[in-house]
């Protein structure tokens, strides 16, 4: 269970990474530095979508897959994308770029969750 906690901790970096990358991209293309902070803060303010997707889709899906020895990385990434899409539709944006960014941010969080699990297993072996 310590590895699951570490994986969830890594997944919390997802809004920072997405906000930072989009902010840097739009800062350079538009030439306005305040765009970086606007996008970073916007991604951080939508971090609750990532948390809900992790709590209700990815972690229970991982535990179920682990129980039956059928852990598939593609399945967990799909659960992250599905959870991000569902909660983005319900709470944040029902269409447009915000919907896509929130769903992809949740999928990245699921990938970081897997990275945290693998990093924890490598140290225990």
């Amino acid at each position: 269970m310590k590895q699951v906690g570490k994986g969830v901790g890594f997944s919390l970096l997802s809004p920072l990474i997405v906000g930072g990358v989009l902010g840097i991209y739009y800062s350079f293309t538009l030439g306005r530095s305040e765009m970086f902070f606007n996008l970073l803060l916007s991604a951080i303010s939508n971090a609750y979508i990532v948390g809900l997707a992790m709590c209700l889709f990815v972690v229970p899906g991982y535990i179920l897959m682990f129980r039956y020895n059928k852990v598939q990385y593609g399945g967990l990434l799909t659960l992250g994308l599905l959870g991000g899409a569902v909660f983005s539709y319900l709470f944040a944006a029902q269409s447009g770029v915000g919907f896509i960014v929130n769903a992809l941010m949740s999928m990245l969080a699921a990938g970081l969750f897997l990275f945290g699990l693998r990093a924890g297993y490598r140290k225990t072996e």
Side-chain angles (χ1 to χ4, degrees):
M1 284 315 235
K2 185 177 179 181
Q3 286 90 5
V4 173
K6 188 175 186 177
V8 170
F10 271 114
S11 72
L12 296 176
L13 295 173
S14 174
L16 293 174
I17 293 170
V18 169
V21 168
L22 287 176
I24 289 170
Y25 173 75
Y26 281 112
S27 294
F28 285 141
T29 57
L30 298 177
R32 296 186 319 194
S33 62
E34 69 269 1
M35 191 62 128
F36 172 77
F37 295 108
N38 288 340
L39 285 170
L40 181 64
L41 292 177
S42 176
I44 291 172
S45 69
N46 284 327
Y48 69 94
I49 293 172
V50 172
L52 287 171
M54 291 298 296
C55 178
L56 297 175
F57 280 81
V58 177
V59 174
Y62 172 74
I63 292 172
L64 185 67
M65 288 180 192
F66 185 77
R67 182 173 294 151
Y68 293 110
N69 282 335
K70 302 272 185 188
V71 177
Q72 295 179 350
Y73 296 159
L76 287 176
L77 292 175
T78 303
L79 285 174
L81 186 64
L82 179 65
V86 166
F87 291 119
S88 181
Y89 183 79
L90 291 177
F91 299 123
Q94 296 180 351
S95 65
V97 177
F99 176 78
I100 293 170
V101 168
N102 286 334
L104 291 177
M105 191 166 49
S106 296
M107 186 177 74
L108 177 64
L112 290 171
F113 172 73
L114 290 171
F115 174 77
L117 288 175
R118 289 187 56 133
Y121 285 130
R122 270 187 262 141
K123 289 183 180 178
T124 59
E125 291 178 355

